[in-house]
Amino acid sequence: MPGVSSFRSRLVRAVRGTLAGLLAAFAALAVAELVAAPVRPAAGPVTVVGGAVVDRTPAAVKDFAIRAFGEDDKDVLRLGILAVLALASAVLGLLALSHRRAAVAGVLLFGAVGAAAVLSRPDAAGAVDVLPSVAGALAGGAVLYVLATAAEAVSAATTASAPGPASAPGPASAPGPASAPEPASAPELAAAPEPASAPAGDQAGAGTRARRRFLLAAGATAVAATSAGALGRFLAGRRGQGAVASRAGLVLPAPASPAPPVPPGAELRVPGVSPFVTPNRAFYRVDTALVVLRVDAGTWRLRVHGTGVTRPRTYSLGQLLARPLVERDITLTCVSNEVGGPYLGNARWLGVPLAGLLEECGVRPPSRGGAADQLVARSVDGMTLGSPVEDVMDGRDAMLAVGMNGEPLPFDHGFPVRMLVPGLYGYVSACKWIESLELTTFDAYDPYWVKRKWARRAPIKTQSRIDIPKPFARAAAGPVTVAGVAWAQRRGITRVEIRVDDGPWRDAELAAQDTVDTWRQWSYRWNATPGGHTLTVRATDGTGEVQTERRAPTVPDGASGRHSVFVTVT
Ligand SMILES: Nc1nc2c(c(=O)[nH]1)N[C@H]1C(S)=C(S)[C@@H](COP(=O)(O)O)O[C@H]1N2
Ligand SMILES: [Mo]
């Protein structure tokens, strides 16, 4: 059965090639992570390639990813990159069996892609950032070369010794540098077998030895790469410990201006409605950081500079905390929130009033003759967000927040300091892990998301959401509680109405208003009749404007339209 035996040996050979490719990729990633750890964990190759992908993803695709995967989008991206890498390395492994140099060049090419990706990131620190990719590619290339050589030695030896009509007699039984291998596999066997050291009669032994050598090399690679990866993780973890300690040791001062107590009637006792204060753990997270930044509060600084800054300054956290702090309830909202979506939350923030700090640096708003109309906040990871200077200094509670619901900011939410401007979507105001404030103009500079087709100016739109009943819920006929939240930061909510199917709009009952910058709960007692029904909500804000029914997508400046829920009543 020559066909079967040659098929089997080709298959086994292909498995070796694939394994060599996968191990080379594994070693490359492990070495890259190890090199990245002491430099900058966020410079690991999967992270930077992921970041570069995020940077280049069109708004529509990003919107789809957020919609489809929600806050798991980063894991999906990571898995996607790893899957592509695994596939490519398997192919390179197979290629390496016949064209070792070309395959190694392929690995180096991947390193170049990683290096290019890292340099393209907005937070690229310079040449050191390419070290992980370069080191990883060199390690991967070396591993592939060695394993492919070992794999081909097995093929050569077993081809020579394999019993069967195809290889029994003839030149294969006398291997040597110039020997022709088994005809079936001849075209694939570019690598000449090592000069035979074994006597012709010892072919089976040679095959076994070669096989052992390959497995040993593969096993050693796996062990070494695993150790390198583990060490990298350990080092990266240790590097973050200074930041963790600085957060654990941070004692927040009491606010000079505490938040007024939340009115007792602001929180409805209706199960299923979003709690008035969103716990930190449940607070939505939207950012481009594939690795959460762990910034050490001890070495952190904030620089204020730019057009019209007559007294540029740099602040330490201690200096900020020594200033009179304010505490305010503010509902933060993401521009990527669909009608009815989950990307908003309400918290009690503690922070430094931003207007006063800017005045101290000599900044004046355009309405008082200031030259700069855009305040660009830049984060430690190079994200940029631009807010109108006028909004920041118009008397609203724009702040540099240090506390969230009674504790230092969680790392996820921007420790040690983030910006907040009530009434503006997060991407034009809420810079996390902030590092500098630059006064400039809208004409002179487009921040990160504006470069990617989102609007320069984006005040939060009046919106409302039905929290209960859930979409496609089943309810028994009779009284059913419909309830949810409505928000129009800076303007406040003055009315919420509910419509059943195409019926008349009816007033919902409003919970007490905390401030115009917070969301407002509402509820409606619906006398449900059997059948399928669509419930729709609309809010009216403090300016008298009724939430529009005109549907708009999230791009470029936030979704509009009305939230509906379909319910089956039995
Ligand atoms: N450094 C940095 N800050 C950022 C972002 C980011 O990607 N990087 N995303 C912004 C966006 S789009 C929003 S909606 C808010 C979300 O803040 P949260 O994650 O604390 O809810 O942070 C803003 N600040
Ligand atoms: Mo956002």
Side-chain angles (χ1 to χ4, degrees):
M1 299 283 281
V4 171
S5 123
S6 104
F7 175 74
R8 227 189 81 93
S9 71
R10 277 159 175 256
L11 187 70
V12 172
R13 181 169 175 269
V15 167
R16 276 191 209 105
T18 307
L19 187 64
L22 290 175
L23 282 170
F26 179 38
L29 286 182
V31 166
E33 296 290 347
L34 176 59
V35 173
V39 188
R40 217 148 55 90
V46 176
T47 304
V48 298
V49 170
V53 171
V54 171
D55 289 347
R56 279 162 190 71
T57 306
V61 177
K62 186 139 34 199
D63 230 44
F64 161 78
I66 289 177
R67 236 184 356 257
F69 308 119
E71 300 191 23
D72 295 331
D73 57 351
K74 294 187 178 74
D75 295 331
V76 172
L77 175 61
R78 224 170 245 293
L79 280 178
I81 290 171
L82 287 175
V84 169
L85 203 60
L87 198 71
S89 55
V91 170
L92 285 177
L94 290 172
L95 178 70
L97 296 176
S98 52
H99 301 84
R100 227 170 304 172
R101 295 214 175 138
V104 169
V107 173
L108 297 181
L109 196 68
F110 266 84
V113 169
V118 80
L119 288 177
S120 79
R121 297 298 338 270
D123 59 337
V128 286
D129 282 355
V130 307
L131 276 181
S133 299
V134 170
L138 289 177
V143 164
L144 187 59
Y145 191 88
V146 168
L147 288 184
T149 306
E152 277 314 78
V154 180
S155 296
T158 49
T159 298
S161 66
S167 64
S173 61
S179 79
E182 167 188 321
S185 59
E188 305 161 78
L189 200 69
E194 289 169 22
S197 52
D202 199 18
Q203 284 311 325
T208 310
R209 274 197 300 281
R211 215 175 277 122
R212 243 183 234 149
R213 236 174 285 145
F214 174 78
L215 288 176
L216 201 69
T221 303
V223 170
T226 305
S227 320
L231 183 61
R233 267 169 197 243
F234 170 76
L235 289 177
R238 234 190 25 182
R239 204 172 169 275
Q241 265 162 30
V244 172
S246 75
R247 183 172 182 275
L250 182 62
V251 180
L252 295 176
S257 167
V262 176
E267 173 119 46
L268 298 172
R269 273 174 193 69
V270 178
V273 174
S274 314
F276 184 75
V277 175
T278 313
N280 289 356
R281 265 175 306 100
F283 207 96
Y284 82 96
R285 177 185 160 209
V286 171
D287 57 54
T288 57
L290 290 177
V291 173
V292 173
L293 279 85
R294 286 171 191 260
V295 178
D296 192 322
T299 51
W300 176 88
R301 295 290 181 274
L302 174 74
R303 179 172 167 234
V304 183
H305 65 115
T307 311
V309 181
T310 52
R311 293 177 290 275
R313 276 200 60 174
T314 299
Y315 297 87
S316 69
L317 186 62
Q319 287 169 324
L320 289 188
L321 295 180
R323 304 170 70 94
L325 303 185
V326 296
E327 183 189 51
R328 296 291 182 263
D329 296 336
I330 298 168
T331 299
L332 181 61
T333 309
C334 181
V335 71
S336 294
N337 196 46
E338 300 281 340
V339 172
Y343 299 129
L344 78 161
N346 182 50
R348 177 156 285 198
W349 308 91
L350 175 74
V352 178
L354 186 49
L357 182 129
L358 291 175
E359 273 162 19
E360 180 177 284
C361 298
V363 177
R364 278 175 292 137
S367 62
R368 285 196 273 130
D373 62 359
Q374 184 178 214
L375 175 66
V376 173
R378 181 180 295 270
S379 72
V380 171
D381 62 335
M383 170 56 66
T384 49
L385 304 84
S387 322
V389 176
E390 199 63 53
D391 292 355
V392 171
M393 301 184 80
D394 71 357
R396 73 183 76 188
D397 291 309
M399 64 166 89
L400 293 170
V402 292
M404 181 178 184
N405 290 329
E407 53 168 309
L409 285 179
F411 288 109
D412 284 1
H413 298 290
F415 181 84
V417 181
R418 79 173 305 167
M419 198 169 120
L420 289 174
V421 183
L424 304 184
Y425 285 118
Y427 84 104
V428 287
S429 65
C431 185
K432 307 195 275 188
W433 313 294
I434 193 170
E435 163 182 280
S436 72
L437 287 171
E438 179 176 359
L439 278 293
T440 178
T441 62
F442 281 102
D443 283 344
Y445 184 77
D446 283 338
Y448 186 90
W449 289 113
V450 175
K451 284 194 186 97
R452 291 161 178 79
K453 304 229 158 64
W454 296 80
R456 289 200 171 79
R457 297 170 187 261
I460 297 172
K461 296 180 179 178
T462 301
Q463 269 293 334
S464 50
R465 182 178 76 196
I466 299 171
D467 286 344
I468 55 160
K470 296 282 170 221
F472 306 109
R474 298 184 156 268
V480 169
T481 301
V482 184
V485 287
W487 60 95
Q489 289 91 322
R490 291 315 293 144
R491 304 177 295 281
I493 293 293
T494 52
R495 187 179 197 182
V496 170
E497 296 159 283
I498 292 292
R499 183 174 66 184
V500 181
D501 302 320
D502 294 323
W505 288 100
R506 293 196 190 284
D507 275 312
E509 202 177 311
L510 284 176
Q513 174 171 278
D514 181 8
T515 76
V516 291
D517 292 333
T518 59
W519 60 13
R520 195 164 179 181
Q521 297 186 351
W522 55 267
S523 74
Y524 176 78
R525 226 173 108 93
W526 171 39
N527 204 350
T529 54
H533 295 290
T534 302
L535 303 169
T536 307
V537 64
R538 74 176 185 194
T540 303
D541 67 27
T543 68
E545 193 164 307
V546 180
Q547 177 185 339
T548 181
E549 84 183 306
R550 199 173 53 81
R551 291 180 152 275
T554 56
V555 190
D557 66 352
S560 70
R562 292 171 181 161
H563 189 211
S564 291
V565 165
F566 183 82
V567 183
T568 304
V569 179
T570 48

